[in-house]
Amino acid sequence: MRWDHLRLTDDTGPALPLLQRRAVTRTFDTPGFHGVTFYEIHAHTIINTVPRTSRLPFTHTINPYRGCTHACVYCFARNSHTYLDLDPGADFDSKIIVKVNAAELARRELTHPRWHGAPIALGTNVDCYQRAEGRYRLMPGILAALRDTANPFSILTKGTLILRDLPLLAEAAERTTVSIAVSVGFIDHDLWRQAEPGTPSPTARLQVCAALGDAGIGCSVLMGPVLPYLTDSPRRLENAVRQIADAGATSVTAIPLHLRPGAREWYMAWLQRHHPRLVEPYRRLYARGAYAPKAYRDRITRQVADLAAKYGIGRHARHRPAPPPPPPGPQQLSLLG
């Protein structure tokens, strides 16, 4: 998505990430939003068409937010904030663009005569169930529009807030294909606090997986990212897959860490602070670009697949899930508007 037309200079200060209508800038005096600024905008469209060259397993997306208070140090979407003249580091974590008319646009576009009912992916750029959703409540209206038009959709999230919308998801699943995945790259509690400081705990996310399964909605787990030298040992991988199996996941897919511009600089700075001995090994591993060597990626993928088979993931599900679309592989992940 191109963002040149979203830049507008505010009379009172520097350039801000605005649409043609001025954004409403808000801060909230609550601990959960301390230091966070929200830019409330009226978007022109909400259903995005994925470029054919992206090699993603879906063709359309909805992203009601830009930026994410999950503050995951490795987030591949960080560089998308530079399209708005914001930085991919602290600004990505604390300056959140909120498309306040997202639900209205979703219903309008889903009922337009030219819309052909293609599956829509949510959560492909930033999490649609980040903390801001608890205040803005954009997803119920979006889900209701998808339900009422029987439009198939998928959701990828780290947010436990998705359980708030369980009745809507169940109603939609009665009418169309609903595929949900939670992202749980690792289980280690201390590392979670360091690397994903704004997210619910991995245990809480697996409880989401179990709750969705108990409600009859299949939930897969995207085990990403696997962090080299931190979460990729056989013991840590097996511990994670075993707990994913216990949660009743329909499938698990490993995604080794990839470091694109924006994310790479932020992640390496974090590594220098918390794990300085790993800086040089990372530089060697990612010397040729954003991705670890193919042999490394293949080994991790194979190990997780073997562990999934060992623990019977998918065979002992407590539910009858609709088959989810394949999650994006490391080469497929893209910065989508």
Side-chain angles (χ1 to χ4, degrees):
M1 185 172 181
R2 297 294 179 262
W3 290 86
D4 290 342
H5 69 292
L6 305 191
R7 298 189 181 96
L8 191 70
T9 300
D10 189 296
D11 293 338
T12 62
L16 291 174
L18 305 178
L19 287 171
Q20 292 174 3
R21 294 177 59 178
R22 291 189 183 276
V24 175
T25 304
R26 296 189 190 278
T27 59
F28 300 112
D29 188 19
T30 56
F33 295 124
H34 177 71
V36 179
T37 301
F38 296 93
Y39 297 101
E40 299 176 356
I41 66 166
H42 285 76
H44 296 306
T45 61
I46 199 64
I47 299 177
N48 310 298
T49 300
V50 178
R52 292 183 179 180
T53 56
S54 67
R55 298 167 58 195
L56 285 161
F58 44 80
T59 59
H60 294 82
T61 66
I62 288 178
N63 292 296
Y65 301 97
R66 306 282 300 188
C68 187
T69 53
H70 283 346
C72 300
V73 295
Y74 51 74
C75 183
F76 72 90
R78 285 185 173 276
N79 206 50
S80 64
H81 243 41
T82 64
Y83 307 162
L84 303 172
D85 291 334
L86 297 171
D87 76 63
D91 283 355
F92 182 84
D93 300 339
S94 63
K95 295 184 178 180
I96 311 301
I97 314 304
V98 184
K99 303 173 187 178
V100 292
N101 61 336
E104 172 192 342
L105 287 177
R107 185 167 294 275
R108 181 189 307 167
E109 293 173 22
L110 288 166
T111 56
H112 195 280
R114 288 199 297 268
W115 177 247
H116 54 287
I120 293 176
L122 297 100
T124 59
N125 188 55
V126 301
D127 203 322
C128 49
Y129 282 107
Q130 60 178 286
R131 289 200 308 274
E133 172 59 17
R135 178 171 290 271
Y136 284 100
R137 298 183 62 86
L138 301 180
M139 286 298 292
I142 294 170
L143 294 177
L146 290 163
R147 175 202 61 193
D148 294 347
T149 55
N151 202 101
F153 63 93
S154 63
I155 298 173
L156 173 62
T157 185
K158 287 187 175 83
T160 55
L161 191 58
I162 190 174
L163 295 182
R164 178 202 65 191
D165 294 338
L166 189 52
L168 277 168
L169 293 168
E171 291 168 5
E174 293 291 326
R175 304 189 60 183
T176 188
T177 301
V178 176
S179 302
I180 299 176
V182 295
S183 175
V184 183
F186 46 86
I187 303 298
D188 183 275
H189 186 275
D190 291 337
L191 187 59
W192 157 61
R193 282 298 190 192
Q194 290 178 2
E196 303 171 338
T199 66
S201 72
T203 300
R205 288 174 245 162
L206 291 179
Q207 290 170 348
V208 167
C209 180
L212 288 166
D214 289 341
I217 301 172
C219 183
S220 59
V221 171
L222 184 64
M223 195 171 160
V226 175
L227 303 178
Y229 311 119
L230 289 170
T231 68
D232 61 349
S233 70
R235 179 180 62 83
R236 288 178 182 267
L237 292 175
E238 182 158 11
N239 181 44
V241 173
R242 181 175 61 250
Q243 294 191 49
I244 290 167
D246 289 344
T250 60
S251 66
V252 58
T253 303
I255 303 292
L257 175 71
H258 59 287
L259 294 173
R260 294 184 176 180
R264 185 185 187 105
E265 294 80 4
W266 193 248
Y267 183 84
M268 293 300 288
W270 170 83
L271 207 64
Q272 180 67 59
R273 292 193 304 274
H274 293 280
H275 305 278
R277 64 183 179 81
L278 295 180
V279 170
E280 284 306 318
Y282 263 81
R283 285 176 178 161
R284 291 193 296 269
L285 191 65
Y286 291 89
R288 295 189 176 182
Y291 300 99
K294 185 176 185 300
Y296 174 86
R297 303 197 308 266
D298 289 347
R299 174 170 63 82
I300 297 299
T301 300
R302 184 171 59 252
Q303 284 180 278
V304 170
D306 290 345
L307 289 166
K310 174 181 177 179
Y311 287 101
I313 290 181
R315 294 203 304 267
H316 309 301
R318 298 185 292 271
H319 38 262
R320 298 185 300 277
Q331 277 84 8
Q332 294 173 319
L333 287 167
S334 183
L335 302 178
L336 304 177

